[in-house]
């Protein structure tokens, strides 16, 4: 953890897989440290990704690692960390209250859509309502509609 903290300090939160580090903190049971890490990036989309990743871990929503061809991309690394965190904490039960807090913060951000995969697992009816609102909005603006 000390090495990761130093690396984060050297690279800065915009060039570091902050979502992965936040998940590591959550997996270790330190949700306050996870929350502090999610607040580090200045770019709101990066914060939303971190919040959604922590929410997924706390809610015990499984993810599959995605192989990435570009080692500089943080998404495949984060997905791998999420998968590993779930595997090393198999008997931990979902922390629904804390997951809801992180989900709420994620959905309030400009990058709210990053939380949709977790939301789809936790409350699929909400995602259906979002889809219906988007379809109605697109239809009201004269855009294409799908049946």
């Amino acid at each position: 953890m000390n090495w990761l903290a130093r690396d984060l300090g050297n690279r800065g939160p915009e060039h570091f897989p902050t979502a992965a580090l936040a998940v590591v903190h959550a997996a270790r049971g330190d949700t306050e440290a996870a929350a502090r890490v999610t607040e580090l990036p200045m770019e709101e989309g990066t914060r939303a990704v971190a919040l959604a990743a922590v929410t997924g871990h706390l809610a015990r929503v499984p993810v599959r690692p995605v192989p990435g061809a570009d080692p500089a991309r943080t998404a495949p690394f984060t997905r791998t960390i999420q998968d590993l965190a779930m595997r090393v904490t198999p008997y931990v039960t979902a922390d629904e209250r804390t997951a809801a807090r992180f989900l709420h913060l994620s959905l309030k951000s400009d990058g709210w859509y990053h939380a949709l995969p977790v939301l789809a697992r936790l409350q699929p009816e909400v995602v259906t309502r979002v889809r219906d609102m988007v379809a109605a909005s697109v239809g009201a603006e004269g855009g294409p509609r799908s049946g």
Side-chain angles (χ1 to χ4, degrees):
M1 292 304 292
N2 291 335
W3 175 80
L4 290 172
R6 278 193 309 275
D7 193 35
L8 171 63
N10 292 334
R11 291 169 54 180
E14 303 302 332
H15 304 289
F16 183 85
T18 52
L21 180 58
V23 169
V24 169
H25 281 297
R28 295 180 77 212
D30 191 348
T31 56
E32 293 308 313
R36 284 191 301 275
V37 170
T38 65
E39 294 171 1
L40 293 175
M42 296 297 290
E43 204 275 315
E44 194 160 341
T46 305
R47 283 195 310 268
V49 168
L51 287 164
V54 171
T55 302
H57 179 76
L58 294 172
R60 309 301 292 170
V61 175
V63 298
R64 281 188 264 158
V66 177
D70 180 5
R73 291 188 52 217
T74 60
F77 179 73
T78 297
R79 297 275 309 253
T80 299
I81 293 299
Q82 288 175 282
D83 180 63
L84 290 171
M86 292 289 273
R87 290 174 190 260
V88 299
T89 59
Y91 302 110
V92 173
T93 58
D95 182 348
E96 294 176 10
R97 173 180 265 171
T98 308
R101 183 179 62 146
F102 278 90
L103 180 61
H104 178 75
L105 292 170
S106 183
L107 291 172
K108 284 178 36 178
S109 73
D110 286 345
W112 62 271
Y113 50 88
H114 291 289
L116 286 176
V118 176
L119 190 60
R121 288 291 299 245
L122 299 178
Q123 297 180 340
E125 70 282 356
V126 173
V127 175
T128 301
R129 288 197 313 253
V130 169
R131 181 204 63 204
D132 293 345
M133 289 186 309
V134 169
S137 176
V138 169
E141 294 175 8
R145 291 189 64 132
S146 65

